[in-house]
Amino acid sequence: MFVSLKSNRGFTLIELMVTIAIAGVLLAVGIPSFQGFISNSNMAATNNAMVYSIQLARSTSMERLSAAGVCASSSPSASDAGCDAGAGYASGWIVYADDNGNGARDAAEDILERVEAPGNAFTFTPDAVFENQIYFNDSGASINVANVPISGQIKLEYGDGEETRRITVSANGRVSTETL
């Protein structure tokens, strides 16, 4: 019986090389856009965490009818976490209920949320009024510790400016986010 060579199955070397070349081109095009997707995802997660914390402080102040705030903390997971002036939000932050209205987190006051540092790739640049904390009175208005209504912004950057967002808190307590 005669065996035909055409019955052999498989790829030729040329077919294999063409397939590898096409895969290489697709990877070269796809990897940079995937990295952009990852940086956008990291930025969205950190931005949303900060906005959630601000909204949690505001809603808590209205619910409890007492002041509440978000402040930078260098050790937010510590049992006695407090507000650290000059620490910056990049080191982490806490949301606290300020039952006595003194503008600082005291040992007996509840910590409502603790957020660890988002990573070295993030830079937070708050306006001077929000440098140490974002504070709300019992009606949900953004105020300073002297009970004067204030508004301001926090600029959030990822990497070397790959992604930039701005969180704005108006004097009435409204929070908005904008991609720059």
Side-chain angles (χ1 to χ4, degrees):
M1 194 171 219
F2 180 159
V3 179
S4 170
L5 290 177
K6 289 186 176 185
S7 66
N8 289 341
R9 298 181 187 245
F11 298 108
T12 66
L13 183 58
I14 293 174
E15 291 171 331
L16 186 60
M17 295 301 289
V18 168
T19 303
I20 290 173
I22 291 172
V25 169
L26 290 175
L27 284 174
V29 169
I31 287 178
S33 62
F34 186 68
Q35 289 172 336
F37 173 76
I38 289 173
S39 67
N40 186 31
S41 178
N42 288 338
M43 171 58 87
T46 302
N47 181 76
N48 291 344
M50 177 57 90
V51 168
Y52 172 77
S53 295
I54 294 168
Q55 290 174 336
L56 176 63
R58 182 174 187 242
S59 65
T60 299
S61 70
M62 292 185 294
E63 179 184 316
R64 293 187 178 196
L65 297 176
S66 66
V70 177
C71 66
S73 177
S74 58
S75 56
S77 60
S79 61
D80 62 342
C83 300
D84 300 327
Y89 296 104
S91 63
W93 62 86
I94 60 171
V95 178
Y96 68 98
D98 189 15
D99 297 327
N100 62 9
N102 68 351
R105 197 250 164 199
D106 298 319
E109 294 172 332
D110 294 335
I111 295 178
L112 308 169
E113 183 186 32
R114 303 164 190 265
V115 179
E116 290 292 327
N120 294 334
F122 288 96
T123 305
F124 291 79
T125 310
D127 288 350
V129 294
F130 291 153
E131 195 168 59
N132 295 319
Q133 73 175 342
I134 303 164
Y135 196 65
F136 297 96
N137 66 10
D138 59 358
S139 66
S142 173
I143 60 169
N144 63 14
V145 293
N147 208 27
V148 175
I150 57 171
S151 60
Q153 300 174 341
I154 298 173
K155 184 177 173 185
L156 177 58
E157 291 181 286
Y158 180 77
D160 294 328
E162 298 169 38
E163 296 278 334
T164 305
R165 301 218 179 151
R166 182 178 355 190
I167 301 169
T168 302
V169 180
S170 63
N172 67 1
R174 182 175 174 260
V175 181
S176 61
T177 299
E178 163 183 23
T179 301
L180 302 176

